[in-house]
Amino acid sequence: MMAHRSERRRIHLDQSELLCTKGCEFYGNAAWGGLCSKCWREENQREKQKQIQEDRAFAERLQREEDQAYASRHQKTQPRATFAPFGKTEERKSKEKASKVNAVTKLFKTPPKKDGTAPSDAQSGPSACPSIYRPPSADTDHATKEFMEFLKPLKCGRQILKQCCSFTESMAYKRVSCAEDMSECVQDFYQSLSDRLHSQFKGNSEYVEGIMDEVERYMMTRLYKEVFCPETSDDEKKDLATQNRIRALHWVTIEMLGVPVDEEIPEASDNVVKAITDVIEIDSKRVPKEKLACITRCSKHIFSAIRISKKEAASADDFLPTLIYIVLKANPPRLQSNIQYVTRFCNPSRLMTGEDGYYFTNLCCAVAFIEKLDGKSLNMTSEDFDRFMSGGGASPKHVPTGGAAALNQVRKRLDLLAGLGERQELVMERARQLESDLIDWTDEVEQKVQSVLDTLETQNPPAAVAVTGAGVSSAIDSDNVENEHLPPPLTPQVFAG
């Protein structure tokens, strides 16, 4: 049994595998090639600088070739003419550039009003483009009011608000950009603002992080519809693939994954239900920090369920299989989109360290494991795994080793149900017997009561009644001589008709 249990520990993730591959001791992310956000940004900046230099060199070479070709054509058409002065060549290029700029300006220029007046500055801004501008919703208005109230006590609050508003308005024009470009713009803004705040509030990192959290809340509430699952990304396609994959794995049991949770314990089962609710709730949040909070609550409920079941503290080897089981049971909506949204637009410092970063990295690993899950991961043969995935199932004699415990558990529950059925039938039979006995007892009591009444009537005949010509007369208590000594008003009176 111990050997069989050790085989299931293939669902294992060492702590070092969660860290950045550059060895900076921060948590990495699969979307960044195993790098943390800091190393990924540095690597991305180096790649961009290299690309910029290559593009510049290529552009300079093309410019030289064009100048040489132009000079050659000019010499052929005007053989007697000397080289034009440098000033005239520059003047010609400036005119050509100005004409191009004017053409582009006319293309995007706002048409005049019907009355012939020119459009105002406000109309020529973002609000002049109906395809980009969206009226503020109740959520964005509420977020703006809260952000302004938060910034009031700060000396630099007005400047922070101005920068955030300007940036969110500029991001409205980047909707057609790819998701990576929008993410880079947001991350650059985070980094720039964080650096300025750290230089202003030296030695108070927690205070700066609090400000950055509110900045993230305000910006992402306003930009949520533009940057969550953008049309330029394949997030929706990944969501459907992951959802179909989880549906196809509906047959995977808690025993196959080696999850150390006993759902027959009410308190443990309650924590499992709460964990499932939390992971589903991720999609209802807008701010990356709030989505991470759902993941953290889910993870803590998982640790509680394991601790209750094992009667001891849970380990990382117990946590990951249980998290995989929770994701399979919940099949959360738009899981890939939510993971990508947090990865792209969350405050990077939150993903690099702390419990939020740790639990988020584990969730990414759990999703990656589900995508690559095969028969070997569940101690099954590939034939049995394919049979289950195709919906054919497996006969009892072909049940894989990893599913033997699950089959035994099912048999026990079937036996328990059969026993409950027998007990229910016995209870119903006894209830029917009790009902018959109760009816017989009622009839017997009625007969006894009637017999007693008949006996009393026989022993005590009714009083004599005298019939006279004047009518009917009777004497009540006329023979009770012993009652003469009773005090009034207890003395009985004799009435004659």
Side-chain angles (χ1 to χ4, degrees):
M1 184 67 180
M2 291 302 295
H4 178 64
R5 186 176 181 82
S6 62
E7 289 179 359
R8 290 180 176 170
R9 289 309 179 190
R10 288 175 182 169
I11 306 178
H12 170 75
L13 192 66
D14 192 79
Q15 180 69 18
S16 59
E17 299 179 33
L18 301 177
L19 300 178
C20 176
T21 55
K22 290 286 187 180
C24 63
E25 300 300 324
F26 292 128
Y27 292 121
N29 194 294
W32 298 327
L35 300 175
C36 67
S37 60
K38 180 180 179 182
C39 294
W40 178 79
R41 284 174 54 80
E42 293 175 354
E43 189 71 21
N44 195 29
Q45 290 294 334
R46 282 194 293 267
E47 291 292 334
K48 283 196 171 184
Q49 289 296 329
K50 182 180 178 181
Q51 187 65 35
I52 290 173
Q53 293 176 1
E54 292 178 355
D55 293 342
R56 181 177 298 172
F58 180 70
E60 291 176 353
R61 180 169 60 83
L62 289 179
Q63 185 65 38
R64 286 195 301 268
E65 293 177 355
E66 183 181 355
D67 292 342
Q68 292 174 1
Y70 176 79
S72 177
R73 289 194 303 270
H74 187 69
Q75 289 178 356
K76 289 180 181 179
T77 56
Q78 298 179 358
R80 296 181 182 180
T82 58
F83 290 102
F86 181 77
K88 292 184 178 180
T89 304
E90 291 296 325
E91 182 179 357
R92 176 181 56 81
K93 292 183 178 180
S94 299
K95 290 182 179 179
E96 293 178 354
K97 183 176 180 181
S99 63
K100 294 180 180 179
V101 171
N102 290 333
V104 174
T105 304
K106 291 179 181 179
L107 180 63
F108 291 98
K109 186 176 181 181
T110 305
K113 297 181 180 180
K114 293 182 179 180
D115 57 359
T117 59
S120 62
D121 294 339
Q123 291 175 334
S124 61
S127 60
C129 184
S131 62
I132 295 177
Y133 176 75
R134 289 185 180 182
S137 62
D139 293 335
T140 56
D141 289 342
H142 183 68
T144 302
K145 291 179 181 179
E146 286 188 343
F147 190 53
M148 293 176 65
E149 290 294 328
F150 173 79
L151 293 177
K152 277 184 179 180
L154 301 180
K155 293 182 179 179
C156 58
R158 185 183 296 274
Q159 185 179 3
I160 294 175
L161 179 62
K162 183 178 179 180
Q163 293 174 353
C164 292
C165 291
S166 176
F167 178 77
T168 52
E169 290 175 0
S170 67
M171 282 293 294
Y173 291 93
K174 294 181 170 31
R175 292 176 58 192
V176 295
S177 303
C178 66
E180 287 70 21
D181 290 342
M182 291 190 291
S183 172
E184 187 175 357
C185 290
V186 173
Q187 295 295 332
D188 287 340
F189 180 80
Y190 284 157
Q191 187 65 41
S192 176
L193 181 59
S194 178
D195 292 341
R196 290 198 297 269
L197 292 176
H198 276 289
S199 62
Q200 184 174 357
F201 302 100
K202 295 180 180 179
N204 199 345
S205 299
E206 293 184 0
Y207 187 67
V208 173
E209 288 300 319
I211 297 176
M212 292 303 300
D213 287 342
E214 294 300 323
V215 169
E216 176 195 283
R217 182 188 302 276
Y218 166 72
M219 289 176 48
M220 288 301 103
T221 302
R222 293 190 60 182
L223 297 174
Y224 180 77
K225 293 181 179 180
E226 283 74 20
V227 300
F228 182 84
C229 193
E231 297 178 357
T232 56
S233 69
D234 59 347
D235 294 348
E236 186 175 359
K237 181 179 178 181
K238 292 181 179 178
D239 287 333
L240 294 175
T242 301
Q243 192 173 42
N244 292 332
R245 174 69 173 176
I246 293 177
R247 286 176 179 172
L249 293 169
H250 65 91
W251 51 270
V252 177
T253 63
I254 193 172
E255 290 81 13
M256 291 180 179
L257 294 170
V259 177
V261 174
D262 187 359
E263 291 187 283
E264 294 184 359
I265 301 176
E267 192 174 356
S269 178
D270 184 58
N271 277 279
V272 169
V273 173
K274 290 180 180 178
I276 293 174
T277 304
D278 289 331
V279 78
I280 293 176
E281 193 180 357
I282 296 174
D283 190 56
S284 65
K285 304 300 181 182
R286 288 193 170 193
V287 183
K289 180 183 176 182
E290 295 176 354
K291 292 182 182 291
L292 288 175
C294 292
I295 299 173
T296 300
R297 289 197 302 271
C298 169
S299 302
K300 290 184 176 180
H301 285 133
I302 289 174
F303 276 108
S304 297
I306 296 173
R307 184 181 66 255
I308 294 168
S309 301
K310 294 182 64 177
K311 302 297 189 296
E312 61 182 15
S315 63
D317 290 337
D318 297 328
F319 172 68
L320 183 59
T322 311
L323 179 59
I324 294 171
Y325 174 71
I326 293 297
V327 174
L328 290 176
K329 291 278 286 184
N331 197 0
R334 301 193 293 184
L335 180 58
Q336 292 284 2
S337 292
N338 283 288
I339 290 177
Q340 293 298 327
Y341 174 73
V342 173
T343 301
R344 292 167 184 158
F345 303 107
C346 182
N347 186 358
S349 61
R350 188 170 296 279
L351 297 182
M352 293 165 59
T353 57
E355 61 179 7
D356 287 346
Y358 174 77
Y359 294 136
F360 178 73
T361 305
N362 274 274
L363 178 62
C364 296
C365 293
V367 175
F369 178 86
I370 291 173
E371 292 175 346
K372 299 178 181 178
L373 189 143
D374 54 11
K376 186 178 180 181
S377 304
L378 301 175
N379 301 310
M380 302 169 62
T381 63
S382 58
E383 293 79 8
D384 289 328
F385 181 81
D386 294 338
R387 189 181 297 111
F388 274 103
M389 290 296 291
S390 62
S395 58
K397 62 180 180 180
H398 293 107
V399 174
T401 305
L407 181 60
N408 292 334
Q409 187 71 16
V410 170
R411 286 174 176 171
K412 289 181 181 179
R413 291 177 180 178
L414 289 176
D415 294 340
L416 180 60
L417 288 174
L420 290 175
E422 294 177 358
R423 292 176 59 185
Q424 183 181 8
E425 186 64 28
L426 180 60
V427 169
M428 293 300 296
E429 183 180 355
R430 291 182 177 178
R432 288 191 291 268
Q433 182 63 38
L434 180 60
E435 183 181 7
S436 177
D437 294 343
L438 183 60
I439 294 174
D440 295 341
W441 177 79
T442 303
D443 294 339
E444 183 180 357
V445 170
E446 289 180 354
Q447 292 176 2
K448 289 183 178 180
V449 170
Q450 187 62 37
S451 176
V452 172
L453 292 176
D454 294 342
T455 304
L456 291 176
E457 289 180 357
T458 303
Q459 294 177 354
N460 300 311
V465 178
V467 181
T468 62
V472 179
S473 63
S474 62
I476 301 177
D477 294 333
S478 57
D479 297 333
N480 296 335
V481 182
E482 298 178 356
N483 296 332
E484 296 178 356
H485 302 289
L486 291 175
L490 298 180
T491 304
Q493 299 178 7
V494 179
F495 294 92

